[in-house]
Amino acid sequence: MGNDQLIQRCENIYQKIEQKYPNSQAIQILQTNDQLSKEFYLAPASANYHGNFVSGLFCHSVLVCRKALIFGKQTFPNLNPDHVVNVALLHDIGKLGIIDNLGNIIIPYYKVTDEGFKLNWDLPSHVMLSLFNVHALKIDLTYDEYMAIAGHNGAYEKANIKNFSGQETELMLCIHWADMFVSRFENI
């Protein structure tokens, strides 16, 4: 499947998620903040790996959301699906870089070069930036949602081994599993 077909597929999946979970704060902010929505839609998910193309972040986040809703329903039936949608769509929002409360990128996470996307190594991890950006946008998440964003990379984030080992929540695991599945097996 080419990138254009994948993007169209993800747009269709997103519309279904949007219709089914209109109370999700992530859905609401993406519907009402045109600048953020545009940046989210155009950004890559990575410089060298999964989703390293225009709209890669959008596709990756939507597919993580779809997979997390499936995992959550099957494995953790009491998990609030609006929380799953919030975290799945926002878990990598730090890959936009540092944004202001209007959704404008102040410092980009990726630089566009002739060779493609290059990571801006002057910035902190995308996980830290995701938490910063959620706060900057004044999205009122629960403690569990914040922790799920913070821990979504699992042991791949060095600080998580110390901070979350044995402290994982259902939401954190659900998002982590979906993120790993989508990035490793769907390569998005």
Side-chain angles (χ1 to χ4, degrees):
M1 178 182 306
N3 288 349
D4 290 340
Q5 292 170 310
L6 176 62
I7 292 166
Q8 182 61 52
R9 178 176 161 234
C10 291
E11 287 172 350
N12 293 337
I13 293 168
Y14 180 76
Q15 287 174 353
K16 290 175 185 172
I17 292 168
E18 201 175 33
Q19 290 168 358
K20 191 165 183 177
Y21 303 100
N23 296 325
S24 158
Q25 291 181 75
I27 295 290
Q28 290 174 359
I29 192 90
L30 289 169
Q31 286 175 335
T32 60
N33 188 320
D34 292 338
Q35 184 62 30
L36 176 67
S37 185
K38 176 184 145 201
E39 299 293 356
F40 180 72
Y41 185 80
L42 294 175
S46 72
N48 300 308
Y49 304 108
H50 65 280
N52 60 342
F53 56 90
V54 171
S55 296
L57 180 61
F58 169 77
C59 288
H60 172 74
S61 300
V62 167
L63 294 176
V64 167
C65 187
R66 182 196 61 171
K67 189 59 73 178
L69 286 164
I70 293 167
F71 285 162
K73 188 174 184 178
Q74 293 174 343
T75 312
F76 307 116
N78 294 326
L79 211 51
N80 183 326
D82 283 327
H83 294 184
V84 173
V85 171
N86 286 340
V87 176
L89 292 178
L90 299 173
H91 79 283
D92 278 347
I93 201 164
K95 291 184 177 183
L96 295 177
I98 297 175
I99 61 176
D100 65 16
N101 64 335
L102 301 175
N104 297 302
I105 296 178
I106 299 169
I107 303 172
Y109 194 68
Y110 296 110
K111 298 174 185 175
V112 181
T113 69
D114 291 339
E115 294 85 40
F117 299 105
K118 299 294 179 200
L119 182 63
N120 183 347
W121 289 101
D122 295 332
L123 293 177
S125 77
H126 80 277
V127 174
M128 295 305 295
L129 289 174
S130 292
L131 296 169
F132 174 85
N133 288 343
V134 165
H135 179 75
L137 292 164
K138 296 177 175 50
I139 302 171
D140 188 27
L141 299 181
T142 66
Y143 177 79
D144 192 32
E145 288 170 301
Y146 273 109
M147 294 307 287
I149 291 173
H152 83 268
N153 259 6
Y156 293 97
E157 193 88 15
K158 289 180 184 175
N160 289 354
I161 297 169
K162 178 182 175 190
N163 296 334
F164 298 120
S165 183
Q167 306 295 319
E168 298 88 349
T169 66
E170 292 178 353
L171 183 58
M172 186 188 299
L173 289 173
C174 182
I175 299 301
H176 174 66
W177 294 338
D179 189 29
M180 291 299 104
F181 185 90
V182 169
S183 62
R184 300 306 189 268
F185 297 107
E186 295 184 6
N187 202 28
I188 302 298

